[in-house]
Amino acid sequence: MKIAIVTGAYGFAGANLVEHLLSKDYKVYAVGRRNSFHNERFQDAPADRLIKVFLEMEEYDKLPEEIGEKADFFFHLAWGGGREDFEVQMKNVDGALKAIEAAAKISKDIRFVGIGSQAEYGIKSDHDFITEDMRLEPFSAYGSCKAAAFYLLRNRADQLGIDFIWGRIFSLIGKYEPSGRMIPDLIAKLSRGEQVRLSSCEQYWDYLDAEDAAAAIEALGNRGVAGEDYNIAHGDFRPLKDYVMEVADIIANEKGREDTHKLITFGDKASPFISLRPSAEKIKRDTGWAPEVAFENTIMKYVM
């Protein structure tokens, strides 16, 4: 049985990863913060294959004693704080370094997968095809610290002699997605017949179901090339407005609301104007992973 450690295990992406790994018969150590209201997740998980560990990031040096056995994979997803909260973002970098130190002590054969963000790329032209060899130009504290973590972790992994892989998530939707984000709020408002005011939605976007992202992260652990970084994206990008109108169509059909399109008002261009046209070819080539869940099917999970 493969053994995996997952930090940030009770958050949006982390919870999907934990459930995916359990479905693949992994034994999972799910590491989360104390006192999070998400810590009650996984109530039905088998007790012999899901072990809950509650530590703050600054306590990750205790992970080797908490785990107590060799593990095959260390998936580091834990990250917190506001995007411009420099103090907290820097603590995230420290936490990531503590995580890789702990991973090396748990097993010299462990594969460490760190999870970054499209924010590392910064603002690219509307015509740019975002590939992994593109220069990182983050403009927020969040993106800057994610990029810093990537470089520092890759360096430290080489010194420690363990495999390191980095995945950059673009835009996830699906199970466990919190309210306050565009898609769940759009669906909720249109379903209630409320007005929705958006930017022009001219920018390109790329939505990936969180269950597909979980499979991608597992694939990176098993087949990602050590030292490499990968985009975790669907690769079927299109103007954000197209996604919005598709959501409106689905709600009109499923809820019998003929006014959904009239409820949406498009305004000025977003500022900053971030347009995402990511390539997912590298992860597909190296791992064999490919997304399976269509955008429509993800939306149906919310509507139903």
Side-chain angles (χ1 to χ4, degrees):
M1 180 185 296
K2 294 179 181 179
I3 299 174
I5 301 160
V6 180
T7 67
Y10 303 87
F12 177 25
N16 278 279
L17 176 59
V18 168
E19 291 185 347
H20 174 79
L21 294 173
L22 291 173
S23 75
K24 299 293 183 179
D25 293 325
Y26 284 70
K27 180 178 181 180
V28 180
Y29 286 88
V31 183
R33 295 177 293 111
R34 297 186 189 90
N35 303 319
S36 168
F37 58 86
H38 295 315
N39 290 347
E40 295 304 312
R41 287 175 173 168
F42 320 129
Q43 290 296 316
D44 298 327
D48 61 330
R49 290 201 297 111
L50 190 283
I51 296 88
K52 294 186 174 186
V53 178
F54 298 113
L55 291 172
E56 305 304 317
M57 271 193 198
E58 54 267 30
E59 300 176 296
Y60 280 179
D61 54 347
K62 297 179 182 177
L63 278 170
E65 59 190 82
E66 290 282 346
I67 305 304
E69 63 178 321
K70 287 188 175 183
D72 302 289
F73 306 98
F74 194 118
F75 297 102
H76 181 58
L77 284 75
W79 203 274
R83 287 185 172 249
E84 294 301 345
D85 189 333
F86 276 83
E87 183 177 352
V88 174
Q89 292 303 327
M90 289 298 293
K91 287 181 179 178
N92 287 324
V93 177
D94 289 338
L97 289 169
K98 281 184 177 289
I100 203 164
E101 296 287 345
K105 290 177 182 176
I106 289 166
S107 174
K108 286 297 181 183
D109 297 319
I110 204 165
R111 283 169 64 84
F112 187 99
V113 180
I115 297 302
S117 165
Q118 55 83 13
E120 296 171 61
Y121 289 114
I123 299 175
K124 301 302 182 187
S125 146
D126 218 12
H127 305 292
D128 284 328
F129 192 44
I130 302 175
T131 61
E132 291 83 351
D133 59 359
M134 183 169 280
R135 182 175 175 177
L136 301 182
E137 299 176 305
F139 65 89
S140 65
Y142 169 75
S144 298
C145 286
K146 281 286 191 181
F150 163 60
Y151 289 120
L152 289 167
L153 290 171
R154 186 170 64 177
N155 228 19
R156 190 61 182 136
D158 187 55
Q159 294 170 354
L160 293 168
I162 64 173
D163 286 351
F164 165 75
I165 304 99
W166 187 254
R168 292 190 185 96
I169 287 176
F170 278 70
S171 295
L172 298 191
I173 52 174
K175 188 176 182 181
Y176 298 125
E177 183 172 8
S179 60
R181 291 162 58 100
M182 180 177 176
I183 292 297
D185 283 9
L186 175 65
I187 292 169
K189 287 181 179 180
L190 292 180
S191 296
R192 294 193 298 261
E194 297 177 9
Q195 290 288 327
V196 178
R197 290 175 175 80
L198 303 170
S199 72
S200 64
C201 294
E202 296 172 61
Q203 64 269 48
Y204 282 93
W205 217 251
D206 180 290
Y207 280 118
L208 179 68
D209 190 283
E211 293 180 12
D212 274 337
I217 295 169
E218 186 217 358
L220 289 179
N222 281 286
R223 298 181 294 280
V225 177
E228 294 292 330
D229 51 325
Y230 295 88
N231 292 339
I232 298 175
H234 195 288
D236 183 27
F237 51 81
R238 46 189 163 125
L240 184 56
K241 195 171 191 177
D242 287 3
Y243 288 111
V244 172
M245 301 311 286
E246 185 171 347
V247 169
D249 287 340
I250 292 170
I251 292 174
N253 291 333
E254 296 299 319
K255 300 290 187 180
R257 298 198 62 95
E258 297 180 0
D259 60 347
T260 52
H261 293 79
K262 296 178 182 178
L263 295 172
I264 302 169
T265 301
F266 294 102
D268 297 330
K269 274 191 174 186
S271 181
F273 188 77
I274 300 171
S275 196
L276 304 177
R277 301 173 73 243
S279 168
E281 292 309 307
K282 185 176 179 181
I283 188 172
K284 292 175 182 178
R285 181 194 70 217
D286 287 1
T287 71
W289 170 84
E292 296 182 355
V293 184
F295 179 75
E296 177 185 4
N297 293 337
T298 306
I299 299 307
M300 290 299 293
K301 298 177 192 175
Y302 288 103
V303 175
M304 302 301 286

